């Protein structure tokens, strides 16, 4: 059962709400002997951290990750994993002691308030509780550790669409991604998104987005038909991110529109004498198993439901009410979802790598 | 670990290849006391069965499902589940004893041939082995049983797109779905698809499609944040179907293009005094938990890679070859994926229903 | 969830009752490339088969195991695993069409009749249904496959106690085990058990027993603290066998009686330059991980509750009744539990071997 | 996969070593709406705490448990569970900064030092690392929460044997258990154990023990054949406790010595009109499912291997060495295992209760 856990051999369990003392992740199954530093993890938490630009929420969270177990501290300040559970904790520091009285009983449209109340009969309304995107900080910490496991694998993400404004894929340049506040790989889209998001932000509105994540260097043969398919678990793990409403691999929904001739990836023997694909419509996965080509996934994030416009709703007592969500919110949560998507992809691939190693013994 | 199993309390394990003596599913965790007949299962297998029209493969498989365990036979010919594993078996009857010599060593582009060989070092090349869509017959049998579990839940599917030809949603009529060979809910699209697919078929080509599956009557409160989200597991289970490359819930990728005002579903108290949503952009799921609205999911199926056009590839010995896939194939595998998608949705919902009942004790 | 499944990477799901058409096991996660014959499996089913001597039940079951999937048949009649699920089926042939009217409603003392009825509200009373020891035939088939996985591992079992009559461990001779109807390793105990069991059998009574199972050649380092300990899972899997009421590893309950000096196994460097234990009180496991010494486990089997003596009980309608269990029963079910215990130990070790290979990459 | 997690619907994941900053447990699946106080948990941690008498280790650990998530704090200082993961943390306070140089490389006989090194290639030698019994503090915290879940269930434990000295069961008095430093239910054994353990302690030796745990008030019908048997999972979870080498249910190994007539529990209709067992040889479990009678389990704990006597061993460099374990150790770790056994039994029963509620819907 995996309500708050994902993965099988590389297992991540997260815990914590936005307004308790802390939140965290327990990573069970991290292979022993991996040397890393706190900074190796912190750099990814900083990417996700709020308050980095005017296009994301202005909350202030330091998001310092602490490693509580599973490592032997080394003299140079680094740590080496011992194969036992790595407990990662992030303390909550910016919990404004505000009056939640209003939303404690009112269901914000588009939020999980109503469904949590139906399911559990009780709900931590403070800051969204467990349904807060703050939970994703724990994922990013776990993902940062996952990145240390398989040598030669590179995992990167980028924002490719905000509202109806898509990047020009011809302009794709990974070097640009960290040079703008949107993780945009296309420098030409940046001013477009800036002016569009300024408009959205000033209107107290919000908008959706699409993120693309790519894993390069993943060996061929990772994955497990038929209910442990690599693409299936990537889909599951990306869909578990707050506000995600769609996931696709390679050509994705575009594959529905084309013919078998257009979609199939032909093969040849490469100059290095090894098998080579002439295209990657499959997004690096065939039959649920990696091909050795880059693994390419995209996910759609809905606009955050926290908007200043008044919307009709009900409260826990069955009264009809109007709700207007005040507070410091992200006009486009898709931006900060980029490092989260990378983290989920990293964890998924490591898990499959270890599983395949167990099942077939092929890999070291 | 779930390589060939999905679900937690309602667990389905499938086994079998297209060319062994049989294939099947073991359904573990089906609640006791459910009365059903063989015909209740068979009707769904018949929907998926090949050879039903010229638009699907012309193979002949009877696909008779046998119930081998987990039931007490009743005098009227029906069966009652006992709570022990229900073993469902379908014998393979149309295994042409043809010469597989050629594709035994050659990797068909777009198929799982190459990746299975890399992973396992051995591959059952006869009819695609375990990667054959024939495996989905076992899913349909399990899904037919799942449909018996929760009273009042209706699960239906339809084809909404073939190639670039989409249905007109204004014409949606569930009554039409079983009146045409495409499971199309829009009668006006039928002649368009007919002529388009005739063309594809005569060219020895194939094309992709999009299927929509809908579950009505699912009680609010089913699902489990944050890594057992209902939408997450729907995504996983649909993505596990052969050839699926994308999944979306409710507005899906469309949610990326709109604002928070447009996307959020407002609420009111309905005429029956119960909470009511004024729209269903969320596809029936908020925060990973059902809202009580219809659950709506779509998935994209790539064009089958089995086409008559010659494509470049390699063989297991590292030689460059040309491959042309002869045989009886589906010009649009998306058609027969409709009952499979329904089955996966049914199983996912039942599993979550039982899990929620265990965790919260709310439901009977 | 593992109601009818055990193992994580080497997963066994069993299904079937004693009176349906068949029963079986699906082995998921068996590594690819393992060559075996039907006879390699059948030999272990034959060991467990009823009717082999007057000391076991006189039912006649051929117990022929069929391999339905997961293998490529070879020209010499052998099979090679492909890494996909291996479905093993055993048809039920000796289902006497007798009148079960009486025990259909009456709870046999010591049986699972009452508890199944409470839990499920329905019960397959024919031959014990799912609680019948017949289910163990499927385990033996799965265990026979498990034995093929790790080269150099030998798994054997023996009966060491019937009633109060224990073997003399000084006489232990593995070569004797298959030379008598009890799997006794001590030839001197054989006549004692014979006369004692004849007496029990003639009285229509039954008696308990203790089985010892041993795995030699298991590499050091297999197992996983702290809730996936090798001894923990051996205990679980042996305790899952029908009628087992106790499990111990190495010194077991005897370890409670002695001091740390007596119990600890000292170490030296062996003549081959490798670490060597000077004793094996630990039964081959320390901290949940194998030491490289033989793994030694014992389990206690209660006397079967099917006896000819009338016992007080109740029926499903709440009446007090007297029950006398007629039929062909084992006077000492412990005898036929020997191959079952071996099978469970084999599966457990293979599962841990694969898990360790995945987690640490040490093994090939 | 469950290396550091146990349970399915009530899932406990523990993390932490004896010498990191903290250790803890994440309890996932605790039902919502349960009100408890920190003191409700602390009382059980205090029972297990070292330094309570001269018969246990003299280390000083406050073992204050903190609740970091999964609850809504109430005005009266209590907390109510919300259905999200409950993170429990215990900080390590008595980590003597001693020189571990010696045992960092030497394998203490009977410890997990050697096996951890073989498996992981690295080992946290500080205080035993993850193999330290200190990990059980996290179990006790989780178990204390589990006790709050099912109304009417009482879980208690007692020490029934130290070395060869067993209690007289005729003297059993639960009221005595907390009146002596041994959790002994028989006041007459107390002086015997005192003088025996003083002797052991002064000799720098150690001795084994047997613990009995009992759950009363468990409804009939809990458990799940055939690989999720209640007794099977009790066995697994008790066997996972450090130093446990044997587990038995009800008559246990004693059942091997008796006849079917002696072992079966007869039934009658009780004065309240409900089914009643006339004895409880089965220890409250038949066919893996609870009978409604008290659930009775016992487990054997080996003598701790930390003794002052010099023993032969090897070091990580392959040299033969002599090892003498200095430090503050328990002469009989079985004493402090009593609350740990209770905790494991509590968690196991709650997990099965929730699973049964999910699968059959019988219970509220």
């Amino acid at each position: 059962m995996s309500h708050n856990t994902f993965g099988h051999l590389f297992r991540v369990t997260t815990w914590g709400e936005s307004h308790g003392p802390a939140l965290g992740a327990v990573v069970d199954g991290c292979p022993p002997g991996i040397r890393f530093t706190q900074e190796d993890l912190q750099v990814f938490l900083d990417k996700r951290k709020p308050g980095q630009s005017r296009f994301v929420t202005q909350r202030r969270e330091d998001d310092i990750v602490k490693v509580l177990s599973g490592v032997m501290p080394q003299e140079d300040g680094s740590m080496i994993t011992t194969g036992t559970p790595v407990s990662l904790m992030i303390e909550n520091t910016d919990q404004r002691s505000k009056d939640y009285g209003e939303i404690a009983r009112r269901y914000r449209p588009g939020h999980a308030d109503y469904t949590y109340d139906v399911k559990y009969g009780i709900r931590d309304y403070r800051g969204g509780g467990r349904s807060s995107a703050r939970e994703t900080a724990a994922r990013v910490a776990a993902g940062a550790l996952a990145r240390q496991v398989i040598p030669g694998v590179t995992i990167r993400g980028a924002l490719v669409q905000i509202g109806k404004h898509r990047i020009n894929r011809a302009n794709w340049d990974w070097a640009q991604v960290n040079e703008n506040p949107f993780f945009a790989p296309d420098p030409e889209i940046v001013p477009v998104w800036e002016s569009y998001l300024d408009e959205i932000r000033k209107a107290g509105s919000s908008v959706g987005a699409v993120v693309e994540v790519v894993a390069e260097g993943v060996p061929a043969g990772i994955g497990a038909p038929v209910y442990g398919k690599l693409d299936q678990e990537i889909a599951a793990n990306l869909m578990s991110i707050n506000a995600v409403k769609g996931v696709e691999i390679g050509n994705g929904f575009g594959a529905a529109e084309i013919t078998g001739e257009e979609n199939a990836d032909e093969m040849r023997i490469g100059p290095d004498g090894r098998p080579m694909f002439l295209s990657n419509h499959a997004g690096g996965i065939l039959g649920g198993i990696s091909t050795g080509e880059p693994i390419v996934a995209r996910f759609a994030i809905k606009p955050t439901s926290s908007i200043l416009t008044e919307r009709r709703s009900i409260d826990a007592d069955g009264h009809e009410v109007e709700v207007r969500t005040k507070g410091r919110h992200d006009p486009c949560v898709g931006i900060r979802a980029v490092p989260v998507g990378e983290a989920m992809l990293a964890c998924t691939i490591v898990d499959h790598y270890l599983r395949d190693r167990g099942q077939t013994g092929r890999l070291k």
Side-chain angles (χ1 to χ4, degrees), chain A residues 128-303:
Chain A
R130 184 73 180 148
S131 73
S132 165
R134 183 144 181 69
E135 184 270 343
T136 60
R139 305 179 187 221
V140 171
L145 183 57
R147 287 170 185 271
Q148 310 294 325
V149 177
I150 318 176
V153 171
T154 303
I155 293 183
R156 294 184 288 196
L159 203 64
V160 298
Q161 182 181 339
I162 293 182
K164 294 200 158 97
H165 306 283
R166 295 163 199 241
I167 62 156
N168 179 348
R169 301 187 74 89
N171 295 339
W172 193 295
D173 178 4
W174 281 113
Q176 291 294 322
V177 165
N178 290 318
E179 302 301 315
N180 62 74
F182 306 110
F183 303 115
D186 167 12
E188 290 178 15
I189 199 77
V190 173
V192 179
W193 285 354
E194 275 180 341
S195 65
Y196 177 60
L197 270 195
D198 274 335
E199 188 187 308
I200 288 283
R201 183 169 56 85
K202 285 168 188 161
S205 184
S206 65
V207 70
V210 176
V211 173
E212 181 164 322
V213 285
V214 179
E216 289 163 293
V218 178
I222 306 294
V226 296
Y227 303 119
K229 284 179 172 163
L230 181 54
D231 36 359
Q232 168 184 9
E233 301 203 349
I234 290 172
N237 290 341
L238 294 178
M239 193 66 103
S240 78
I241 300 172
N242 309 50
V244 173
K245 299 301 283 186
V247 179
E248 58 183 14
I249 306 291
N251 274 0
F253 276 85
E257 304 195 351
I258 58 179
T259 64
E261 287 79 4
E262 294 165 308
N263 191 63
D265 301 308
E266 294 182 292
M267 297 186 77
R268 276 292 173 251
I269 298 298
D272 59 354
R274 306 180 59 185
M276 177 181 72
F277 286 88
L278 305 181
S279 56
N280 187 21
H281 301 301
I285 303 174
L286 285 173
I289 302 172
S290 63
T291 63
E293 290 292 300
I295 291 169
V296 181
R298 274 176 304 282
F299 55 100
I301 297 137
K302 69 176 184 182

Side-chain angles (χ1 to χ4, degrees), chain A residues 89-131:
Chain A
M89 185 170 73
I90 298 154
E91 283 168 288
N92 287 324
T93 53
D94 182 23
Q95 311 165 40
R96 291 209 183 167
S97 63
K98 78 175 187 185
D99 176 18
Y100 283 99
E102 190 172 313
I103 67 158
R105 306 290 299 165
R106 294 175 170 216
Y107 301 137
R108 293 166 296 165
H111 277 90
D113 299 343
Y114 172 68
T115 54
Y116 269 64
D117 248 15
V118 172
K119 181 179 176 79
Y120 296 114
I122 183 175
R123 168 172 58 94
D124 188 343
Y125 46 79
R126 299 168 302 168
R130 184 73 180 148
S131 73

